[in-house]
Amino acid sequence: MENTNSNREADKNLRVIAVVTLAILCLSLLWLFYDLYAYSRIRAISPESVTIVAVTGIGFLVRILLFLFFAVLILRSFRQGLKPSLTVIISIITGSIAIIAMFFDFAALEDIGTDYLEYGYKCTGEWIWLFGSLLLRLVFYTSLFALIIRILKSNGTLNPSSQGLVDEILFEVTQWVGIISGGTGVIFTMYAFTVLDGFTAKSWLLWLLLFYCGAIMLPWLALTVYRISRLALRREPSQYDEKQKQDMSFAGMTAWLVSLPLMAIMLVFSLGKSPSPVIYLWFPFYLFTTLLVYSVVLLKRYRKG
Amino acid sequence: MKLDNNIRRLRFENNEMSQEDLAVALGVTRQTIHSIEKGKFIPSTLLAMQIASYFGKSVEEVFSIINENSN
């Protein structure tokens, strides 16, 4: 009886969060269309570009709020027994990429603000990125909308499941997010190596690069911290089961073995070169590579048995 | 050598129990039960004994060794 009541309470809370997320989603969708308008106005070097950029800037806060509610909603839904359907997986993948993309949107707008508006450069790459990011957000918002509707229509039939199942879903989701963060990080660091090699080392540039690396790692880090905090607070009956531990050991060993030749190649390429900011990127590159390999191997082994 | 098992049959004999229900009862993930059933994962002695005990059987009644070389 007590369990039924607490389940009802949890279901009610989930529906409240879903409704609030829906409201923020609607607001974010409006902002998405405003951004589309804003980008086209800035591109046309409209005289009111400064005001337009300021309003777009407020949109970043709305996006952060949406991501926070999305994270809470998805975690609570899993606790209430939501199974990872295609909609759920798409919303997690696009959501994770959208969080990372937000930081790059900011950087692209910064570049456009100076290079495009002030100095008259074309900034083609930045414009492609910004419009591509809008498309990504649209996909994320659509999948999130479908997810919210599913939660609201479930009417308490998500069936609160066992702790074991919740662990399993969180475990898989963490690996998916690890693949996204690791893959994006590897591409980002390699891109930075290619573009910035030869630049003079400047501390602000190095810190900026490290900041973006941190932002890329953020979704995976948040899930890991969530998991560790739950274990520390003893909200879960057990840690990993023996198969998970075996899979994690194998994935860890593979990631370590793959990282050795990769880092040796990095060393060979950096030998004898003048110090540039990218020299310090060996560490994030190492982190992203091992995270990517670890997550891919772990997920593959875990799912295939 | 391979480790064969009757877990799938025992589940069905036990009110068509799902892998998920068995996993919850034993405190492991559904994927672990699935992998054991398929013979892709060899459980520890402790887990093997827990599975046998859950169905009220001896370990030998649940698990058996198949020697792939003997024809």
Side-chain angles (χ1 to χ4, degrees):
Chain A
M1 188 64 152
E2 200 176 303
N3 266 346
T4 316
N5 283 339
S6 66
N7 286 338
R8 269 193 204 138
E9 190 63 28
D11 187 62
K12 195 179 139 196
N13 289 341
L14 179 67
R15 294 166 76 77
V16 169
I17 293 166
V19 170
V20 176
T21 313
L22 184 63
I24 304 169
L25 177 64
C26 292
L27 194 61
S28 304
L29 194 65
L30 288 176
W31 233 287
L32 187 141
F33 289 116
Y34 176 79
D35 283 349
L36 183 64
Y37 160 78
Y39 295 164
S40 54
R41 294 297 294 157
I42 298 167
R43 204 163 186 200
I45 316 186
S46 156
E48 70 270 22
S49 286
V50 177
T51 322
I52 289 171
V53 167
V55 179
T56 303
I58 299 167
F60 278 95
L61 298 176
V62 181
R63 265 198 264 176
I64 292 168
L65 199 63
L66 181 70
F67 291 138
L68 284 174
F69 270 86
F70 167 64
V72 174
L73 181 75
I74 206 89
L75 289 171
R76 286 228 176 199
S77 303
F78 283 148
R79 290 197 62 73
Q80 285 298 100
L82 178 76
K83 302 219 166 147
S85 63
L86 189 66
T87 315
V88 176
I89 291 170
I90 291 175
S91 62
I92 289 171
I93 291 175
T94 51
S96 304
I97 301 172
I99 293 171
I100 297 165
M102 186 175 67
F103 294 94
F104 289 89
D105 284 0
F106 190 76
L109 280 170
E110 280 281 312
D111 282 353
I112 284 168
T114 50
D115 296 349
Y116 186 80
L117 292 178
E118 280 185 39
Y119 301 113
Y121 291 115
K122 279 188 177 175
C123 292
T124 315
E126 281 83 352
W127 284 116
I128 292 171
W129 171 266
L130 283 176
F131 285 108
S133 175
L134 281 180
L135 189 68
L136 170 77
R137 267 155 68 193
L138 189 64
V139 177
F140 169 56
Y141 293 170
T142 311
S143 61
L144 180 57
F145 180 74
L147 175 67
I148 292 170
I149 295 300
R150 189 178 152 195
I151 290 166
L152 292 176
K153 278 175 78 177
S154 68
N155 201 18
T157 53
L158 280 178
N159 287 332
S161 58
S162 65
Q163 291 288 83
L165 184 65
V166 174
D167 274 357
E168 202 166 352
I169 294 166
L170 188 61
F171 186 76
E172 277 194 43
V173 167
T174 309
Q175 307 327 317
W176 277 110
V177 174
I179 292 170
I180 295 163
S181 287
T184 313
V186 168
I187 294 167
F188 174 72
T189 43
M190 286 182 75
Y191 179 74
F193 273 126
T194 321
V195 174
L196 299 174
D197 193 22
F199 271 58
T200 321
K202 284 176 184 159
S203 65
W204 67 265
L205 183 58
L206 176 65
W207 283 111
L208 189 69
L209 288 172
L210 291 179
F211 170 77
Y212 282 120
C213 290
I216 292 168
M217 195 68 109
L218 197 66
W220 179 82
L221 211 59
L223 275 176
T224 307
V225 168
Y226 172 77
R227 168 80 181 160
I228 291 169
S229 66
R230 287 189 62 78
L231 285 172
L233 294 167
R234 304 257 186 267
R235 284 201 180 153
E236 289 180 23
S238 62
Q239 295 188 3
Y240 303 104
D241 76 8
E242 58 186 60
K243 184 179 178 298
Q244 285 175 314
K245 282 179 188 168
Q246 197 185 74
D247 292 342
M248 286 163 77
S249 305
F250 183 85
M253 189 186 70
T254 311
W256 179 69
L257 284 174
V258 170
S259 73
L260 290 178
L262 266 178
M263 296 317 290
I265 293 168
M266 282 277 290
L267 180 71
V268 170
F269 271 103
S270 59
L271 279 175
K273 285 199 170 183
S274 59
S276 78
V278 291
I279 288 292
Y280 301 100
L281 284 180
W282 70 267
F283 183 65
F285 179 74
Y286 169 77
L287 279 183
F288 289 130
T289 310
T290 46
L291 176 63
L292 178 65
V293 175
Y294 176 81
S295 303
V296 169
V297 174
L298 182 53
L299 193 68
K300 190 173 180 298
R301 261 185 79 94
Y302 184 70
R303 288 177 78 97
K304 296 268 175 182
Chain B
M1 280 209 282
K2 215 177 145 189
L3 192 69
D4 196 17
N5 67 79
N6 300 314
I7 298 174
R8 188 177 159 82
R9 182 175 58 79
L10 289 166
R11 277 197 300 111
F12 279 88
E13 285 173 7
N14 200 14
N15 295 326
E16 297 192 0
M17 187 183 208
S18 67
Q19 287 181 338
E20 194 180 311
D21 290 338
L22 181 61
V24 171
L26 297 169
V28 294
T29 59
R30 191 198 62 80
Q31 199 66 36
T32 300
I33 298 296
H34 172 77
S35 302
I36 295 171
E37 274 189 17
K38 292 275 177 191
K40 290 178 178 173
F41 174 68
I42 299 173
S44 66
T45 314
L46 181 68
L47 184 56
M49 290 179 84
Q50 280 179 328
I51 294 169
S53 164
Y54 183 82
F55 290 116
K57 307 275 181 191
S58 67
V59 175
E60 289 83 357
E61 284 176 292
V62 181
F63 296 97
S64 56
I65 293 172
I66 301 172
N67 198 337
E68 288 172 329
N69 293 330
S70 63
N71 290 315

